Amino acid sequence: QTRKYIFPANGKMKDALSNMVVAINDVLMVNPTLDVEFHFCGVKTDRILEILSVENTTRLDPRIIVHNWLKYEELIALYQKMDFLLLARETNEMTKANFPSKVPELMTYGVIPVVSRVGDYTAIYLHDGENSFVFDGCTVPEIRNVINRTLEKDIVELKTISSKARKTVEEKF
């Protein structure tokens, strides 16, 4: 079964977009037959190619899917097909104080957060390996490692984590 990841943000200020894109590209290059999809919303294809050009990559792997503007109904339909939300952030005053609303929004659909340990939402609500994958930092190796951790889990483990993610939203938010 295809593992599907989504980055649903604008890639400005708070998110480590460049590091996520490079880490994803690394995972795909090492595993050319890996059955995965990485979906980006709110980020232009040109921006992703600009990031990858530093790595001498001139084309997008077909497993990297960039969505143009989606109507709300289309966005929700996309969320319902996703397995993971990938969100890497640096630790700074802005990210510590920010609670990304996309996290609980996607968790309502059973999407498993794969997020940097930043601020209250990871300290209070998300528990690594239980209802999410929480990792320290936002460097390319750290992001690559957490993606690989998600890929190591079997479908039964992921269904359990997904249902606990949804249950967290129901009970805590």
Side-chain angles (χ1 to χ4, degrees):
Q1 176 182 346
T2 304
R3 304 264 171 110
K4 296 180 182 184
Y5 300 75
I6 189 166
F7 173 71
N10 63 15
K12 292 185 179 150
M13 295 203 304
K14 296 182 280 276
D15 305 320
L17 177 63
S18 294
N19 290 354
M20 285 187 279
V21 170
V22 171
I24 288 166
N25 193 59
D26 287 355
V27 168
L28 296 175
M29 287 178 68
V30 169
N31 303 291
T33 60
L34 195 60
D35 191 10
V36 295
E37 293 176 2
F38 291 92
H39 294 257
F40 287 84
C41 297
V43 180
K44 294 188 183 314
T45 303
D46 289 348
R47 176 70 183 120
I48 294 175
L49 285 170
E50 178 185 309
I51 293 165
L52 293 176
S53 68
V54 175
E55 307 290 312
N56 295 317
T57 301
T58 56
R59 66 170 189 84
L60 279 188
D61 186 294
R63 295 169 291 177
I64 295 176
I65 300 156
V66 180
H67 298 274
N68 292 320
W69 180 256
L70 297 172
K71 292 180 183 170
Y72 183 72
E73 299 78 25
E74 295 169 324
L75 186 62
I76 297 306
L78 181 64
Y79 287 173
Q80 292 172 333
K81 296 176 187 169
M82 295 297 113
D83 299 303
F84 303 99
L85 156 67
L86 182 61
L87 188 62
R89 292 182 159 192
E90 290 183 21
T91 301
N92 58 43
E93 291 308 310
M94 185 185 300
T95 58
K96 280 194 243 177
N98 181 261
F99 187 106
S101 60
K102 294 292 183 190
V103 174
E105 182 180 5
L106 277 137
M107 288 171 72
T108 63
Y109 302 103
V111 177
I112 301 167
V114 181
V115 296
S116 298
R117 188 180 319 277
V118 178
D120 288 347
Y121 76 101
T122 54
I124 298 170
Y125 303 110
L126 300 184
H127 305 287
D128 184 54
E130 185 180 320
N131 62 0
S132 60
F133 290 87
V134 180
F135 61 101
D136 293 307
C138 64
T139 65
V140 170
E142 290 161 337
I143 298 166
R144 190 174 49 234
N145 289 343
V146 77
I147 292 170
N148 286 327
R149 269 185 53 214
T150 66
L151 294 168
E152 291 168 359
K153 299 292 183 187
D154 66 41
I155 197 71
V156 173
E157 290 173 294
L158 292 178
K159 284 185 188 238
T160 300
I161 295 169
S162 170
S163 71
K164 287 182 179 179
R166 179 156 171 72
K167 189 173 182 176
T168 298
V169 172
E170 292 169 359
E171 294 177 354
K172 306 286 184 190
F173 301 119

